[in-house]
Structure formats: structure tokens, C-alpha cells
């Protein structure tokens, strides 16, 4: 049986060459210019992160919604309603997840006997994960089917040059509990309408500008026995919302429209 020998040393078994220890590996030398460029990039990145961090510019000394929204205006007056309204939240949020700082829920009636429920909810800080809840999410979470949803006719108000974009719903209570027509708008900062993605994009861009926007839900609704009454209900609620906003003092009206 033959034994492999080192060619230069007769009779000595061959051994593999030793690998270079990790400690002996040499790192590439960086020039002073390269190091300075790296430091400059880190400084720029840190500055960008600082600029992207939202610094709250919220409504200072926000007025009371309950005090600023009148309980009587035009042909409408608030009444005591024993039937509870659909809540403005989904009903499963923790205290930290609640997007509202103030809420007002009332029922108004006019001389013709029309009753309109109104829900107002304002939040000082709208964030990606905590923002105003859309009624088409809140209603199903509390036992209603959404039978129809679409853009409502924009509502002209005294507090805004352009009419306010709105959304309208027809919902049905599970178990045959009747119907409810809904008309609402959501204002986040100065933005209206759009879906959840549009709201997130707006909040993100406001954050890059160093602002955390406030948010407002203005919702009117009417209980119906039959779905055929939804069209007329929308006409009533449109007029109600216009008069409601116009009745709020100009100094506090930007809470509702801006």
C-alpha cells in the first residue's frame, strides 16, 4: 500500500495547506473621502427621519361640540329619543384605539314630524392605525347589513366655498328590524371622501410636513319602515345637514367643514 509523499520531502506524508485564520483576513482600506461620504449619508438619513417625524399641530383650545352645535335651528329642535343610535365606533376598540375626543349624538324633529338622528365625532389626532371610522364599517359591526352605498349629492354650506362631498347608505337591521338611511361625510384635515387607502396616504403626507391632522365625522340618519322611502329620506337629510352647518357659529364651524 503506497503512501502519498510531499514531492519535496521524501518519506513525509502530504498535508493540506492551512487555511488563513479569520483574524488574518484583511479588510479593504477606505480612503478618507469615502469615510466622509459615508458619514454625510448617515447625517442626511438621520435628518430625513427627523423631518418625517410628525410634530403635532392640532386645534388649540378646541371648542365643545355639544356647546357649539345648537339644539334648535330653523324648523328643527332636539328631542329626547329613547331608541339608541348606532355607535360611531365599531364597539371593539380599546381605550388607546378610540379615535374620538368629543362625540355628540342627538335626534331632531321638525314641524312636519320628520326625525333625523345626528352623530358628530371629532378626533384631535388622526393616525395610520387610529382614525375616524366609516359608517359602512360601524353599521355591520353592530347588526346591520349595508344594502346600498354610493356617492351622495354634495351638500353646499356656508363654511366652505365648494359643496361638501358626501356618502349615502341604505342599511337593514338583521332579523327584520327595519331600515336606516344614512348620509355622512368624513373630514380628515382638509380632505374629504376617498377610501381608507386615500386617508392613510393623506395622513402620511401630512406627517412628512410635520402635521398630525384632526378628523371629523358628520352623520345624519333616519329610521325607515320600507326601503322605498330612502330617496325622500336623503332629500330631508341633505337639507338638514346644510342648515345644521349654517347654524354653527363661524368661529367654530371649521370643526365640521373646512
Amino acid at each position: 500500500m503506497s503512501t502519498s509523499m510531499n514531492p519535496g520531502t521524501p518519506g513525509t506524508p502530504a498535508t493540506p495547506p492551512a487555511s488563513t485564520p479569520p483574524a488574518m483576513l484583511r479588510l479593504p482600506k477606505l480612503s478618507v473621502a469615502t469615510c466622509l461620504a459615508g458619514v454625510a449619508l448617515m447625517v442626511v438619513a438621520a435628518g430625513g427621519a427627523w423631518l418625517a417625524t410628525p410634530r403635532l399641530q392640532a386645534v388649540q383650545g378646541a371648542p365643545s361640540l355639544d356647546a357649539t352645535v345648537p339644539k334648535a335651528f330653523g324648523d328643527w329642535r332636539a328631542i329626547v329619543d329613547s331608541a339608541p343610535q348606532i355607535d360611531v365606533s365599531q364597539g371593539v376598540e380599546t381605550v388607546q384605539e378610540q379615535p374620538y375626543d368629543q362625540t355628540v349624538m342627538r335626534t331632531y324633529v321638525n314641524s312636519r314630524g320628520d326625525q333625523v338622528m345626528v352623530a358628530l365625532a371629532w378626533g384631535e389626532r388622526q393616525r395610520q392605525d387610529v382614525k375616524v371610522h366609516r359608517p359602512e364599517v360601524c353599521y355591520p359591526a353592530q347588526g346591520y347589513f349595508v344594502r346600498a352605498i354610493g356617492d351622495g349629492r354634495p351638500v353646499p354650506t356656508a363654511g366652505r366655498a365648494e359643496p361638501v362631498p358626501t356618502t349615502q347608505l341604505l342599511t337593514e337591521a338583521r332579523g327584520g328590524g327595519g331600515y336606516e338611511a344614512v348620509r355622512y361625510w368624513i373630514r380628515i384635515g382638509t380632505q374629504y371622501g376617498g377610501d381608507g387607502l386615500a386617508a392613510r396616504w393623506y395622513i402620511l403626507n401630512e406627517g412628512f410636513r410635520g402635521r398630525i391632522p384632526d378628523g371629523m365625522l358628520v352623520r345624519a340618519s333616519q329610521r325607515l319602515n320600507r326601503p322605498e322611502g330612502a330617496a325622500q329620506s336623503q332629500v330631508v337629510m341633505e337639507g338638514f345637514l346644510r342648515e345644521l352647518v349654517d347654524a354653527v357659529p363661524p368661529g367654530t364651524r371649521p370643526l365640521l367643514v373646512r
Side-chain angles (χ1 to χ4, degrees):
M1 183 174 181
S2 62
T3 304
S4 177
M5 301 290 182
N6 285 330
T9 308
T12 304
T15 58
S19 60
T20 304
M24 299 294 291
L25 294 175
R26 293 183 178 181
L27 296 174
K29 291 183 179 180
L30 300 177
S31 66
V32 174
T34 302
C35 292
L36 290 176
V39 171
L41 286 174
M42 288 188 287
V43 170
V44 170
W50 182 86
L51 289 173
T53 301
R55 285 155 188 83
L56 181 62
Q57 294 183 4
V59 177
Q60 299 297 318
S64 165
L65 265 180
D66 186 67
T68 195
V69 176
K71 294 180 175 64
F73 57 91
D75 192 29
W76 298 95
R77 58 184 177 84
I79 60 171
V80 176
D81 188 356
S82 58
Q85 287 195 46
I86 296 299
D87 199 357
V88 291
S89 68
Q90 298 177 42
V92 296
E93 298 88 351
T94 64
V95 174
Q96 291 77 17
E97 292 171 335
Q98 287 293 337
Y100 308 120
D101 296 288
Q102 297 185 48
T103 58
V104 170
M105 304 185 82
R106 296 181 190 155
T107 299
Y108 290 83
V109 66
N110 64 12
S111 60
R112 296 187 300 272
D114 298 318
Q115 289 191 15
V116 174
M117 297 175 290
V118 63
L120 308 172
W122 178 78
E124 182 181 17
R125 307 181 183 194
Q126 300 298 296
R127 305 188 298 277
Q128 292 288 337
D129 54 338
V130 179
K131 56 185 179 297
V132 174
H133 297 316
R134 307 179 74 84
E136 57 264 36
V137 176
C138 295
Y139 271 76
Q142 297 172 64
Y144 279 75
F145 297 106
V146 175
R147 292 304 187 193
I149 181 172
D151 294 334
R153 190 165 61 178
V155 176
T157 69
R160 178 177 156 87
E162 297 295 327
V164 179
T166 65
T167 300
Q168 62 184 41
L169 309 174
L170 175 62
T171 66
E172 181 182 2
R174 292 188 178 99
Y179 300 84
E180 196 165 309
V182 183
R183 186 73 162 269
Y184 79 88
W185 68 74
I186 290 176
R187 175 190 63 75
I188 297 181
T190 57
Q191 186 203 52
Y192 293 84
D195 55 16
L197 182 60
R200 288 178 180 273
W201 181 248
Y202 176 81
I203 292 170
L204 178 64
N205 279 287
E206 286 294 281
F208 278 113
R209 294 178 173 87
R211 299 189 291 262
I212 299 178
D214 69 329
M216 183 76 201
L217 166 67
V218 177
R219 187 189 80 196
S221 59
Q222 276 195 312
R223 300 185 185 99
L224 305 173
N225 293 323
R226 298 180 304 159
E228 291 79 10
Q232 178 58 30
S233 175
Q234 292 295 340
V235 173
V236 172
M237 290 189 293
E238 181 178 327
F240 171 85
L241 288 170
R242 183 183 67 251
E243 293 183 50
L244 174 70
V245 174
D246 293 353
V248 173
T252 55
R253 198 177 290 149
L255 278 178
L256 276 63
V257 296
R258 190 174 300 168

